[in-house]
Amino acid sequence: GDAGLVALAPALRRLPALGSLDLSGNRLLGDEGAGALVAPPPPPADAPTTMIGALTKLRTVWLNNTQITDTGCFALAAALRSGALPALQDMFLFRISASAASKTAVFMVLVSRRGLRTADRPDSYFTRRERRAWSDLTVLFDLGLVPHE
């Protein structure tokens, strides 16, 4: 759950080569745990600020079937936008209680990191209803009515 990931996050940061992390199915994992994953590590007392310990090689994270909500997704998107998990390319958010809009916020950061167009979005990120909403959102992007990351 959240407390477990908060406790585990410092240990994960000691694994600089960690490339993927699957936390799927942890029904106790919610917004606080997701935030701990992307939170910058506290700087050591005598050390200069660096990216050491910031999961710089993590490319894929699965957070399917967790309790992450809109709050957690928007916090993830903000942290990613600020440079957290710099190598991250895929974050899977299947069957969570967050809305399509908050999942899209995360996805748009990842799209901008990879230099993809919005049309390159994999359908597996969203339910059928969310894909219809995404189509509407893509039209708004194309018309310039929604700011792109």
Side-chain angles (χ1 to χ4, degrees), residues 61-72:
V61 175
W62 288 270
L63 297 171
N64 307 322
N65 294 309
T66 61
Q67 295 298 315
I68 297 172
T69 67
D70 287 346
T71 300

Side-chain angles (χ1 to χ4, degrees), residues 15-37:
L15 301 171
L18 185 66
S20 63
L21 181 63
D22 190 346
L23 298 169
S24 297
N26 186 337
R27 298 301 291 173
L28 300 176
L29 178 63
D31 298 336
E32 183 182 357
L37 182 63

Side-chain angles (χ1 to χ4, degrees), residues 20-25 29 37 59-66 68 73 76 80 88-96 103 106-107 110 114 122-126:
S20 63
L21 181 63
D22 190 346
L23 298 169
S24 297
L29 178 63
L37 182 63
R59 294 177 56 110
T60 306
V61 175
W62 288 270
L63 297 171
N64 307 322
N65 294 309
T66 61
I68 297 172
C73 281
L76 287 168
L80 294 171
L88 191 70
Q89 293 188 356
D90 291 301
M91 181 174 283
F92 295 98
L93 302 167
F94 306 117
R95 292 179 295 282
I96 64 173
K103 291 180 193 179
V106 173
F107 182 76
L110 299 176
R114 293 186 299 191
D123 285 337
S124 60
Y125 265 76
F126 302 100

Side-chain angles (χ1 to χ4, degrees), residues 38-63:
V38 295
D46 303 2
T49 303
T50 66
M51 289 300 287
I52 294 173
L55 298 171
T56 58
K57 306 257 189 230
L58 191 61
R59 294 177 56 110
T60 306
V61 175
W62 288 270
L63 297 171

Side-chain angles (χ1 to χ4, degrees), residues 74 81 99-109 111 117-121 125-126 128-149:
F74 286 125
R81 199 176 302 112
S99 67
S102 65
K103 291 180 193 179
T104 298
V106 173
F107 182 76
M108 292 308 297
V109 176
V111 165
R117 296 167 297 136
T118 55
D120 294 324
R121 172 200 45 80
Y125 265 76
F126 302 100
R128 180 176 296 149
R129 187 181 75 200
E130 290 171 340
R131 283 194 294 275
R132 282 191 299 256
W134 174 265
S135 296
D136 295 341
L137 184 60
T138 301
V139 170
L140 296 175
F141 277 118
D142 291 343
L143 294 172
L145 300 175
V146 175
H148 190 283
E149 291 296 320

